[in-house]
């Protein structure tokens, strides 16, 4: 098959080229490629490497009334994504044992429309499970440095976390942390959004990032900080990375689009942890400070996102369908940077050697998109199990023409595991 005449966007740049595909893989990228197979006319369109969302909560099995793999993966495909890596919570059971991991893989094999991998969980008491999870193909591990919001997935104390780092280093895997320092979080003083914001100061994130990097360096453990919300944390990660620490960080569209002052207006739909801070501060971090932008799609039913008491509202944002189109609507972000932040850098960091780029030998994961139309996120377009999002009304750019997963229409996703 040949995808002909489009503008191919990679982290290296944009070029007019045809893409030849045989089976699952890209075999050639160049001008005027020959061949007599099926052709897709991409004239006037752009072609990105299929997106990789390494931070979603699809909640299957166990909490599928919040989100399931069929709906979540269809939403991703609609937004230009061909791979997801699912978090070890908020499914039931949580992915802290090899048996729970098998349940996830089985569920995704049945219903994922795109390729899929899984993070395992580190919680007090499960360190003897880490090796078995690595053998099964876990992408790495996630731990919380503060309460996660659900009882089945408790936070790691310092001792557990440091011991886990040693074991994960020995297993040549990677640790992801939710970095907020429990000791610096407070009970909200009252029911308002402002009370919630004040209960989670930015210093709590910086303090936890500091500890996590120090401990990981001592254990020689690869470290990734999820959903960074402040410039201070991003700068701290960057400085340590520059001086040789094996640490990366991600942020999410909601930290780029909204600040603390927006939360009252947005209400419960905008509740997440860490909370929105200073939207203006984070854009520069995408030019090297942080390596990826992911959705942290963490949905629930609508009733859990509403109510007068902010303390009782579920903390999580629904957004995985819109990540790329939201980024593209910010004309300051050049196309190759968007490809890097949403695919190439993710694949490189997490050891997906055949994904994240458009070049011979890579999986034919492609997003063919018409970048001319501008629009907004509309509820009726969302494919989530619970179709609502804090992003409704936000500007997006582009219309998905076609998403190809290993050369085919989204349909039967495959299990992926780190290759190095
Ligand atoms: Zn999350």
């Amino acid at each position: 098959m040949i995808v002909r005449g489009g503008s191919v966007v990679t982290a290296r740049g944009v070029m007019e080229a045809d893409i030849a595909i045989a089976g699952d893989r890209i075999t050639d990228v160049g001008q005027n490629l020959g061949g007599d197979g099926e052709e897709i006319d991409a004239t006037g369109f752009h072609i990105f490497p299929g997106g990789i969302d390494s931070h979603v909560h699809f909640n299957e099995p166990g909490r599928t009334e919040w989100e399931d793999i069929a709906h979540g993966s269809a939403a991703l495909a609609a937004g230009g994504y061909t791979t997801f890596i699912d978090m070890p919570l908020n499914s039931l059971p949580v992915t802290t044992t090899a048996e729970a991991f098998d349940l996830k893989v089985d569920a995704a094999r049945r219903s994922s429309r795109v390729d899929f991998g899984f993070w395992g969980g580190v919680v007090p008491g499960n360190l003897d499970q880490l090796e078995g999870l690595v053998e099964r193909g876990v992408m790495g591990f996630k731990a919380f440095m503060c309460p996660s919001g659900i009882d089945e997935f408790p936070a790691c104390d310092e001792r557990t976390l440091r011991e886990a780092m040693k074991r994960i280093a020995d297993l040549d895997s990677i640790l992801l942390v939710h970095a907020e320092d429990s000791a610096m979080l407070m009970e909200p003083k009252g029911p308002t959004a402002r009370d919630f914001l004040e209960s989670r100061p930015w210093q709590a994130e910086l303090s936890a990032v500091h500890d996590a990097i120090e401990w990981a360096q001592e254990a020689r453990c690869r470290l990734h900080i999820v959903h960074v919300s402040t410039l201070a944390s991003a700068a701290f990660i960057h400085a340590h990375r520059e001086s040789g620490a094996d640490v990366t960080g991600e942020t999410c569209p909601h930290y780029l689009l909204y600040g603390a002052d927006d939360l009252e207006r947005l209400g419960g739909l905008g509740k997440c942890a860490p909370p929105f801070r200073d939207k203006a501060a984070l854009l520069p971090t995408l030019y090297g400070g942080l390596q990826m932008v992911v959705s942290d799609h963490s949905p629930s039913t609508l009733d859990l996102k509403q109510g007068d008491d902010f303390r009782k509202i579920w903390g999580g944002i629904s957004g995985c369908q819109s990540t790329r189109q939201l980024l593209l609507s910010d004309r300051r972000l050049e196309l190759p940077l968007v490809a890097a932040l949403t695919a190439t850098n993710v694949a490189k960091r997490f050891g997906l050697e055949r994904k994240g780029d458009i070049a011979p030998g890579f999986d034919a994961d492609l997003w063919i998109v018409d970048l001319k139309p501008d629009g907004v996120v509309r509820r009726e377009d969302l494919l989530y199990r619970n179709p609502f999002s804090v992003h409704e009304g936000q500007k997006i750019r582009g219309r998905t023409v076609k998403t190809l997963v290993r050369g085919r229409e989204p349909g039967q996703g495959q299990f992926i595991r780190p290759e190095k």
Side-chain angles (χ1 to χ4, degrees):
M1 184 162 76
I2 294 185
V3 180
R4 196 175 291 284
S7 298
V8 176
V9 182
T10 68
R12 297 176 296 279
V14 184
M15 67 167 184
E16 307 295 315
D18 304 333
I19 302 167
I21 299 167
D24 286 354
R25 306 282 186 101
I26 295 166
T27 54
D28 205 354
V29 181
Q31 294 193 334
N32 305 315
L33 296 182
D36 46 15
E38 187 193 335
E39 296 219 353
I40 294 174
D41 182 7
T43 309
F45 302 147
H46 285 75
I47 306 159
F48 284 73
I52 304 169
D53 194 339
S54 57
H55 193 153
V56 299
H57 300 259
F58 285 165
N59 304 337
E60 187 170 345
R63 276 201 184 86
T64 49
E65 70 277 17
W66 291 8
E67 185 63 288
D68 59 32
I69 294 169
H71 285 87
S73 63
L76 281 175
Y81 284 73
T82 53
T83 303
F84 70 83
I85 313 175
D86 185 55
M87 282 293 166
L89 67 167
N90 309 303
S91 54
L92 279 172
V94 291
T95 320
T96 51
T97 65
E99 294 72 35
F101 185 83
D102 293 343
L103 292 176
K104 283 255 190 181
V105 175
D106 288 347
R109 283 213 166 101
R110 281 194 297 273
S111 57
S112 183
R113 298 173 66 77
V114 301
D115 288 351
F116 53 88
F118 296 100
W119 302 112
V122 179
V123 294
N126 89 322
L127 296 190
D128 59 342
Q129 291 288 327
L130 306 188
E131 188 172 359
L133 282 161
V134 167
E135 280 165 11
R136 276 177 161 73
V138 79
M139 294 294 306
F141 295 93
K142 165 89 175 283
F144 275 75
M145 298 173 77
C146 65
S148 74
I150 60 164
D151 296 336
E152 315 87 76
F153 201 97
C156 282
D157 54 276
E158 177 178 342
R159 225 178 101 187
T160 303
L161 198 58
R162 296 180 83 151
E163 182 58 32
M165 284 171 169
K166 279 188 214 147
R167 295 196 188 200
I168 289 166
D170 285 343
L171 294 163
D172 197 23
S173 189
I174 186 167
L175 178 67
L176 281 54
V177 292
H178 176 126
E180 282 184 290
D181 187 338
S182 279
M184 296 172 73
L185 301 180
M186 293 160 273
E187 282 299 318
K189 286 199 214 77
T192 69
R194 183 56 55 187
D195 295 324
F196 167 70
L197 287 166
E198 285 171 0
S199 75
R200 302 190 91 104
W202 64 267
Q203 293 92 337
E205 181 182 82
L206 182 60
S207 169
V209 168
H210 170 276
D211 287 346
I213 292 178
E214 186 177 304
W215 301 340
Q217 279 195 286
E218 206 174 291
R220 298 181 184 281
C221 179
R222 284 193 282 148
L223 180 70
H224 177 75
I225 312 287
V226 298
H227 50 51
V228 172
S229 68
T230 71
L231 178 61
S233 304
F236 195 85
I237 292 165
H238 182 61
H240 279 263
R241 193 173 159 74
E242 290 285 291
S243 64
D246 194 347
V247 59
T248 45
E250 69 187 30
T251 193
C252 313
H254 41 275
Y255 298 114
L256 298 163
L257 290 167
Y258 316 116
D261 293 341
D262 296 307
L263 190 56
E264 213 151 337
R265 170 178 62 85
L266 295 167
L269 292 189
K271 183 179 175 185
C272 61
F276 308 149
R277 317 266 193 200
D278 177 1
K279 61 185 170 186
L282 275 168
L283 193 84
T285 69
L286 303 183
Y287 295 86
L290 300 174
Q291 288 69 41
M292 48 190 99
V293 178
V294 298
S295 69
D296 192 5
H297 180 71
S298 183
S300 69
T301 49
L302 186 56
D303 58 308
L304 295 179
K305 297 295 283 175
Q306 295 170 327
D308 296 332
D309 190 343
F310 224 80
R311 292 169 294 198
K312 294 189 180 141
I313 289 171
W314 167 252
I317 300 280
S318 290
C320 72
Q321 189 172 328
S322 321
T323 305
R324 267 192 167 166
Q325 287 174 284
L326 288 167
L327 291 176
L328 288 168
S329 76
D330 188 330
R331 300 297 208 276
R332 292 169 294 185
L333 298 174
E334 295 193 341
L335 305 184
L337 181 60
V338 173
L341 292 167
T342 57
T344 319
N345 294 353
V346 187
K348 280 192 180 147
R349 180 55 170 164
F350 301 133
L352 298 174
E353 295 192 326
R354 284 184 291 126
K355 295 201 177 288
D357 202 351
I358 299 176
F362 279 79
D363 281 347
D365 295 338
L366 303 174
W367 183 41
I368 305 172
V369 58
D370 181 358
L371 287 181
K372 292 182 286 298
D374 284 307
V376 294
V377 176
R378 300 185 308 171
R379 186 169 289 197
E380 58 266 39
D381 296 331
L382 298 175
L383 302 180
Y384 311 138
R385 175 84 192 251
N386 294 284
F388 65 83
S389 172
V390 71
H391 299 314
E392 284 169 52
Q394 280 292 324
K395 280 191 201 131
I396 53 172
R397 179 182 178 194
R399 175 185 64 86
T400 295
V401 176
K402 202 183 265 296
T403 303
L404 294 177
V405 182
R406 283 172 288 98
R408 286 174 286 269
E409 298 277 342
Q412 187 68 55
Q414 277 185 5
F415 174 60
I416 52 160
R417 55 192 298 164
E419 293 178 56
K420 57 166 193 250

